[in-house]
Amino acid sequence: MKCVPFRQFSAIGYAALLAFCVEAHAQSLETQATQAGQANISALRAEVDQRLKELEALKRKLADEEGNFRQLSRRLNASQLESRHATGGTDANGLPVGAAATGGATAAAQAVQADQAAAQGAVPQSDQNAGASAGGTDQASTPATPVGQAPVADTHPPAVAPIFDQPGVLTPRHTLVVEPYFQFSYSSQNQISLVGYTIVPALLIGLINVSEVKTTTLTGGVALRYGLTNRMELEVRVPYVYQTNDTVAREPFVGTAANTTISSNGHGLGDVEATLRYQFNQGGPDKFYYIGWLRLKSATGKSPFDVVTDCVVSCVVGTTANTGLPLEQPTGSGFLAIQPGLTWLFPTDPVVFFGNFSYLHSFGKDESLTLRDGQTQFLGKIQPGDIWGFNIGMGLALNEKASVSIGYDQSIVLPTSQNGQTVPGSVRVILGTLLIGYSYRISPTTTLNFSIGAGLTRDTPDLTLSLRVPMSF
């Protein structure tokens, strides 16, 4: 509306006209403000809706990235745990566990960084360097791509310095491990026999025979392990045994003060063994790993009944020729045997606890003694006593290459029977050994393992030294 000049109106008309013009202008301004406000509100609402949609999309993407991050973190933690707990970066098979764990941790860390960069809409550093070297390609228009490939979750339990016969880490699929080994064992026992009768508890009429038996056993051989799958392996162990036995005693049934020494030795192929192992579960940090195994022991070594015994006609006590001692030492048990068992491991930072349960059963058979004059003495069916065994230990990594383990091994040997009856003098025997083992990774595929065993019971070898050098191919 356009107002006319005020000269054409009176004061009252001018005032009315002025009021009308002011009111009309105010309404015009209010209308314009209302229209502008509505437009602004619509624009703000549209922008808010767009932001909410973007926020929802970001939330979904963030949830996906958090899931991926947690999965990669678990893999990274498992890899770091294995590298800290492993035997100097390698397992009992000589595999580069430390190197693999470190590489897996690095790959997992790179994958996590790549996922975080992708979530933030950034290009990984490696892609930026590639773009710069290619001539300054526009990085803003290049979509972010993940670096490398996420590592496969390692289902193998952490390795420890091997101190027992059964390893805890299985051989990976299509991998061959050749393990030369050497073992030294020494035992010494005192034996006292009384021949006569007593008149009173303090008076003996007869002879007292005191003897000391010293046995040294050297065992060298090779163990071959092959991974059938990532959770199953087959092992074949071929030993070669050299054993000496020295008995220092007074000549029995003869009243003399001079000691006599009876020595014998023997060497040859020992009892070949085959073992199949299978890992039942996946396990993880602060979770148990269970590995079942079945061992078959052959009778390829020379039996104690195959060696010549120092007896003439028959081993009957009463003559000097019947010492009953072997003139040659055996290299095997002489019986087929089967042994199932279960190995368990429990990793908890910074150590790994492990152990075994096993049961060995030997199959009895008819046996005869080979006498010195070439004759034989039939003994009937001999059934060796079954053996219950268990052991427990713990391992700790000292650095990326070296580790140490300590453990205890015990076997309960049941009495031997002959023709269904317990052999006189055969009783239950407890064998207990304290073991300390060391491991050092020489190369990514070769490990040096050394263990020391000390006998804690009378019937256990006094000292046992073992050296193993597993090499993976």
Side-chain angles (χ1 to χ4, degrees):
M1 178 180 179
K2 184 177 181 181
C3 296
V4 298
F6 65 87
R7 292 191 185 94
Q8 300 177 4
F9 297 93
S10 61
I12 296 176
Y14 173 74
L17 180 60
L18 181 61
F20 177 76
C21 291
V22 170
E23 183 179 358
H25 185 65
Q27 290 178 356
S28 177
L29 293 176
E30 183 178 357
T31 301
Q32 295 177 0
T34 300
Q35 294 176 352
Q38 291 178 352
N40 293 335
I41 291 175
S42 298
L44 289 175
R45 286 179 178 175
E47 185 177 358
V48 169
D49 293 338
Q50 181 65 24
R51 297 300 180 185
L52 289 176
K53 293 179 180 178
E54 294 177 358
L55 182 60
E56 291 297 331
L58 289 176
K59 286 182 178 180
R60 290 193 296 269
K61 189 174 182 179
L62 180 60
D64 295 338
E65 296 299 333
E66 286 180 351
N68 295 334
F69 179 77
R70 285 194 296 269
Q71 184 178 5
L72 293 174
S73 297
R74 286 193 296 269
R75 295 174 181 174
L76 178 60
N77 291 336
S79 300
Q80 289 178 345
L81 179 63
E82 184 173 358
S83 65
R84 292 177 183 176
H85 293 168
T87 63
T90 56
D91 57 19
N93 299 323
L95 300 176
V97 174
T102 305
T106 304
Q110 291 177 354
V112 171
Q113 294 176 357
D115 291 338
Q116 292 176 346
Q120 297 175 359
V123 180
Q125 184 67 30
S126 59
D127 293 343
Q128 295 178 3
N129 296 337
S133 61
T137 304
D138 186 5
Q139 299 176 0
S141 61
T142 304
T145 58
V147 179
Q149 184 178 2
V152 179
D154 187 6
T155 61
H156 285 73
V160 293
I163 55 178
F164 303 133
D165 292 337
Q166 301 297 328
V169 178
L170 302 185
T171 305
R173 181 183 180 185
H174 297 164
T175 300
L176 175 65
V177 174
V178 179
E179 181 184 88
Y181 66 91
F182 174 79
Q183 185 178 68
F184 168 84
S185 176
Y186 174 80
S187 63
S188 176
Q189 294 181 347
N190 294 325
Q191 298 178 353
I192 300 177
S193 59
L194 304 179
V195 182
Y197 61 94
T198 58
I199 300 177
V200 294
L203 180 61
L204 170 68
I205 303 300
L207 299 176
I208 301 178
N209 182 30
V210 180
S211 62
E212 184 177 11
V213 181
K214 301 178 184 294
T215 304
T216 302
T217 305
L218 304 177
T219 304
V222 60
L224 304 176
R225 288 188 290 270
Y226 182 76
L228 302 177
T229 67
N230 286 331
R231 289 194 176 186
M232 181 181 293
E233 75 170 14
L234 177 65
E235 179 189 69
V236 177
R237 186 177 295 266
V238 182
Y240 188 89
V241 180
Y242 176 81
Q243 181 170 289
T244 64
N245 182 276
D246 299 315
T247 302
V248 180
R250 301 284 178 89
E251 186 175 355
F253 313 111
V254 178
T256 177
N259 290 333
T260 60
T261 301
I262 303 175
S263 299
S264 62
N265 62 73
H267 60 88
L269 180 67
D271 292 339
V272 178
E273 302 174 0
T275 306
L276 183 67
R277 302 184 183 91
Y278 179 76
Q279 180 178 327
F280 293 112
N281 66 328
Q282 180 174 345
D286 294 326
K287 295 181 181 179
F288 279 95
Y289 292 86
Y290 296 104
I291 300 174
W293 48 273
L294 180 66
R295 183 170 69 99
L296 300 177
K297 187 186 72 65
S298 67
T300 54
K302 182 174 290 187
S303 168
F305 302 98
D306 294 335
V307 299
V308 179
T309 305
D310 186 20
C311 294
V312 178
V313 181
S314 64
C315 289
V316 179
V317 177
T319 63
T320 59
N322 292 338
T323 63
L325 297 177
L327 299 180
E328 181 183 359
Q329 291 298 308
T331 61
S333 65
F335 296 91
L336 297 175
I338 184 172
Q339 184 181 23
L342 177 67
T343 298
W344 58 268
L345 296 95
F346 184 76
T348 177
D349 196 18
V351 299
V352 178
F353 296 99
F354 54 91
N356 277 291
F357 299 96
S358 65
Y359 171 77
L360 186 142
H361 174 74
S362 299
F363 299 96
K365 62 178 181 177
D366 293 336
E367 293 288 359
S368 299
L369 281 178
T370 302
L371 305 182
R372 190 170 59 181
D373 60 353
Q375 299 183 7
T376 60
Q377 178 182 351
F378 183 70
L379 301 177
K381 185 177 181 180
I382 304 298
Q383 176 63 60
D386 295 338
I387 301 177
W388 293 91
F390 75 91
N391 52 55
I392 189 172
M394 59 172 289
L396 176 65
L398 304 178
N399 53 39
E400 294 182 355
K401 292 186 176 182
S403 67
V404 61
S405 295
I406 184 172
Y408 172 75
D409 181 79
Q410 179 170 308
S411 297
I412 304 175
V413 184
L414 302 182
T416 299
S417 63
Q418 180 180 8
N419 296 323
Q421 302 294 327
T422 301
V423 175
S426 178
V427 295
R428 184 178 65 251
V429 177
I430 305 296
L431 306 177
T433 306
L434 179 65
L435 295 160
I436 300 177
Y438 305 91
S439 178
Y440 182 79
R441 180 168 61 89
I442 301 175
S443 69
T445 59
T446 304
T447 305
L448 178 65
N449 301 315
F450 179 74
S451 64
I452 304 173
L456 302 182
T457 61
R458 278 184 170 271
D459 301 299
T460 310
D462 300 331
L463 176 65
T464 302
L465 304 177
S466 299
L467 180 66
R468 308 175 186 177
V469 185
M471 297 173 289
S472 60
F473 299 92

